[in-house]
Amino acid sequence: MAKGEMGRASARAGLGLHHLRYVLAAAEAGGFRRAARRLGVQQSAVSRRIQDLEARLGAPIFERGPNGVRLTSVGEDFVLSARIAVVGLDQVVERAADAARADHRVLRIGLLSGLGGGKPQELMRSLLDREPGVLIELAEDCLNGLSLSLERGRLDLAFLPAAGGNLARVSAWRERLLLAVPANAPLGAETSVTWLALEGRRLLTASAVLEEVASLAARRLGRDAAKTIAVAATPASVARRVALGQGLGIVNESDAARVTGVAYRPLARSFLAFDAVLGRRPRKAIVDCFLSSLQGVG
């Protein structure tokens, strides 16, 4: 039978699962009344369904008698195939339910490529301590890639910089932005550094936080400063380039990499906020548990 023809015969006959169950119950019980009691329905409902099916098939399934019913030869063939079909369907349903239960304990989280240390690690470790049976699957991608995966329901959530959008989100944490400077540079002796001290300097940042850093630079130093920020793949790459004297780096605190010859100083009044952005997929209880743990995280 061709793939597109599967189910056409039963559809033409108006055959539904309820018909199969009524027939099987009557065959096993030996009568419509006993089948009705087993199914928890009226006897008339069983009789009517089976009569309707026989009329659609154009052949009797049961021979009626004063002591109950018995299968015709057509009925015997029908019941044999119906029992196989119902058992097979039950097995499919049970496998799907088992898979759904297993998936309920899987949490798919998206992280920006190059980031993912610090706070995300702390939050996920805390969840696993409370819910040791949970399996966390991580997906690393750029901002656009993670946003697309969330829209298409491939992720339960992703940690992204706080911003607008049409997906539900929950505040996850807020952290300082740090300035990476050569350890022997004058700025390395400062307790904190203002944006004005960066005017005219060559600035570097990681691609994952470029948009947020550029926005801050535009507000504090003007659009021209934001346009000249150089980009590195990761915060560690930023630090290495700073150590080579190729500029000053701006990184989020939780991903500040330890690199010889580099010191970190807070950028005055500069913070980066991250949200847990929810994907378009059925909400799991474990997701709500995880989101509740974000309350009070700073």
Side-chain angles (χ1 to χ4, degrees):
M1 180 180 294
K3 183 177 180 180
E5 295 177 354
M6 293 179 64
R8 287 187 180 179
S10 58
R12 284 195 300 268
L15 178 62
L17 181 61
H18 53 285
H19 288 111
L20 300 185
R21 294 199 181 280
Y22 281 18
V23 169
L24 290 176
E28 291 168 2
F32 293 166
R33 181 178 299 174
R34 289 187 291 274
R37 282 199 299 267
R38 179 179 296 185
L39 294 169
V41 298
Q42 296 293 322
Q43 178 184 345
S44 59
V46 175
S47 179
R48 189 168 55 252
R49 292 285 189 189
I50 293 176
Q51 286 177 352
D52 177 57
L53 176 58
E54 289 175 322
R56 290 172 182 272
L57 294 176
I61 295 175
F62 292 101
E63 290 180 358
R64 280 78 167 169
N67 297 322
V69 299
R70 67 185 183 89
L71 291 167
T72 64
S73 58
V74 171
E76 289 177 354
D77 288 341
F78 185 91
V79 165
L80 178 61
S81 297
R83 186 173 288 116
I84 294 172
V86 171
V87 169
L89 180 59
D90 285 344
Q91 290 173 344
V92 169
V93 171
E94 288 172 1
R95 285 198 299 269
D98 288 344
R101 283 190 290 271
D103 185 69
H104 177 72
R105 303 296 290 173
V106 176
L107 191 58
R108 296 176 177 85
I109 299 178
L111 299 173
L112 287 166
S113 296
L115 301 187
K119 287 291 186 182
Q121 196 75 15
E122 177 186 326
L123 292 171
M124 291 185 287
R125 184 69 263 170
S126 176
L127 174 68
L128 293 177
D129 288 342
R130 297 194 313 276
E131 303 285 344
V134 171
L135 173 64
I136 294 180
E137 295 182 355
L138 299 178
E140 293 191 35
D141 205 340
C142 64
L143 178 60
N144 288 339
L146 291 178
S147 297
L148 183 61
S149 292
L150 290 167
E151 287 281 359
R152 293 182 175 177
R154 295 171 182 165
L155 297 173
D156 291 303
L157 61 91
F159 290 119
L160 301 177
N166 57 1
L167 292 174
R169 56 180 63 223
V170 174
S171 296
W173 75 89
R174 184 170 178 259
E175 61 183 284
R176 295 184 300 179
L177 281 178
L178 303 181
L179 184 70
V181 301
N184 58 357
L187 286 178
E190 301 291 334
T191 303
S192 66
V193 180
T194 66
W195 280 90
L196 287 177
L198 306 183
E199 193 167 13
R201 306 263 193 165
R202 176 177 171 78
L203 301 178
L204 304 153
T205 196
S207 58
V209 296
L210 173 62
E211 188 174 335
E212 289 67 34
V213 170
S215 178
L216 272 172
R219 292 201 301 271
R220 304 293 176 83
L221 299 176
R223 292 183 180 179
D224 290 342
K227 293 177 182 178
T228 60
I229 296 176
V231 182
T234 66
S237 298
V238 171
R240 293 188 189 100
R241 291 177 64 175
V242 169
L244 294 172
Q246 295 184 347
L248 303 178
I250 298 176
V251 300
N252 52 306
E253 184 175 14
S254 64
D255 285 296
R258 292 186 178 180
V259 173
T260 301
V262 174
Y264 291 96
R265 295 294 178 265
L267 264 175
R269 297 180 291 110
S270 298
F271 296 87
L272 186 61
F274 284 87
D275 289 342
V277 183
L278 305 183
R280 294 190 186 280
R281 57 190 287 119
R283 188 83 155 260
K284 304 172 186 174
I286 192 62
V287 173
D288 290 324
C289 176
F290 192 34
L291 295 179
S292 68
S293 72
L294 300 180
Q295 302 299 319
V297 175

